[in-house]
Amino acid sequence: MGKIANITILTGAGISAESGIKTFRDAGGLWEGHAVEEVASPEGFARNPDIVYEFYNLRRGHLADPNIQPNEAHKAIAKLQENPKYNVTLITQNVDNLHERGGSQDVWHMHGELMKMRCLFSHKVHDSFPTYDASTPCPCCQRTNSLRPHIVWFGEMPFLLDEAFALLSKTDLFMSIGTSGLVYPAAQFVAMTPETCRKIEFNLAGTPVSHHFDEKKEGPATMTVPTFVNELLAL
Ligand code: OAD
């Protein structure tokens, strides 16, 4: 194995599961009783914005519950990022803020952020109000009917993709944590790393992309991630 300098970490819903946030597939394709297309697509928003506003207001409320806290896996990643030996980039598909609250400074949210909202006219991104709807005036243009969640919905382009592709081609160690490997383009990130890159999948079980990885750490992320991070820090 060559020297590890650049580490890329991709996280998914599994890393936040032990903090009390439901994963997508585990909810049986329904999010809090809603079909995914209803609450997570531009068409759903155009059809019935009230349901969409309400859905994200509830999810924001859930994230603010004092019982929802970053776990040992989030904290271990932050500890790794602080170590000057490695250049660590954290890309998450999660829209929660548990990586930040766990101590990570720079988090690439490729699917957006629950705690941000966007103006439909200026496209400016703002810190989200705890709750808002179509009648809430936008902080930048003061118009109503102008705010939407800063979330990547089905059919929309994830954020930071070009940057991610450039980074993956220079990665020495790729860690994929708690993601089902079902949603592209994140699922193909592992295949975009160089042949020399060490690739490790952290999950409770195998995934459709497991065969791309050299190693598998099976088990809850709060156990496997801190153990591996400590190994890296001891190198
Ligand atoms: P999924 O719900 O598809 O998958 C969660 C993965 O985490 C599964 O493979 C579980 O086996 C694993 N898992 C669950 N608990 C775990 C634990 N404690 N430790 C380790 N692994 C665990 O979530 P994602 O892969 O994140 O997109 O889903 C990807 C995208 O699909 C989401 O970002 C979302 C959704 O459509 C958008 O919203 C655009």
Side-chain angles (χ1 to χ4, degrees), residues 101-157:
R101 284 162 56 191
S104 285
Q105 301 285 335
D106 190 14
V107 188
W108 295 18
H109 280 276
M110 61 181 291
H111 289 166
E113 294 176 66
L114 205 44
M115 300 312 290
K116 299 264 167 78
M117 59 189 187
R118 191 164 80 231
C119 175
L120 289 165
F121 298 100
S122 71
H123 308 293
K124 278 192 187 138
V125 177
H126 302 284
D127 287 339
S128 179
F129 299 129
T131 61
Y132 64 93
D133 59 27
S135 68
T136 309
C138 169
C140 63
C141 64
Q142 267 69 53
R143 285 193 253 200
T144 55
N145 290 301
S146 75
L147 290 168
R148 63 160 277 178
H150 187 52
I151 301 274
V152 176
W153 286 328
F154 285 92
E156 296 182 324
M157 193 64 123

Side-chain angles (χ1 to χ4, degrees), residues 12-14 17-18 23-25 93 111 152 154 178-180 183 203-204 219-221:
E18 292 167 81
T23 64
F24 299 98
R25 314 301 148 199
Q93 297 166 88
H111 289 166
V152 176
F154 285 92
T179 175
S180 58
V183 175
N203 203 305
L204 292 178

Side-chain angles (χ1 to χ4, degrees), residues 4 7-9 73-89 102-104 173 175 177 202 225 228-234:
I4 295 171
I7 303 178
T8 303
I9 303 178
H74 297 109
K75 291 180 198 166
I77 292 174
K79 193 164 93 177
L80 185 62
Q81 285 184 299
E82 273 165 23
N83 192 293
K85 238 190 336 192
Y86 303 113
N87 177 22
V88 184
T89 307
S104 285
L173 169 64
M175 299 164 62
I177 305 170
F202 298 74
V225 176
F228 182 69
V229 164
N230 285 336
E231 282 171 27
L232 276 179
L233 293 177

Side-chain angles (χ1 to χ4, degrees), residues 177-227:
I177 305 170
T179 175
S180 58
L182 288 168
V183 175
Y184 285 81
Q188 84 193 27
F189 281 4
V190 58
M192 301 177 81
T193 58
E195 214 168 303
T196 50
C197 173
R198 183 177 172 195
K199 310 166 195 48
I200 312 179
E201 184 176 56
F202 298 74
N203 203 305
L204 292 178
T207 72
V209 292
S210 289
H211 60 280
H212 285 297
F213 290 86
D214 311 310
E215 292 165 59
K216 247 195 96 51
K217 307 275 183 200
E218 228 168 81
T222 53
M223 306 292 290
T224 56
V225 176
T227 304

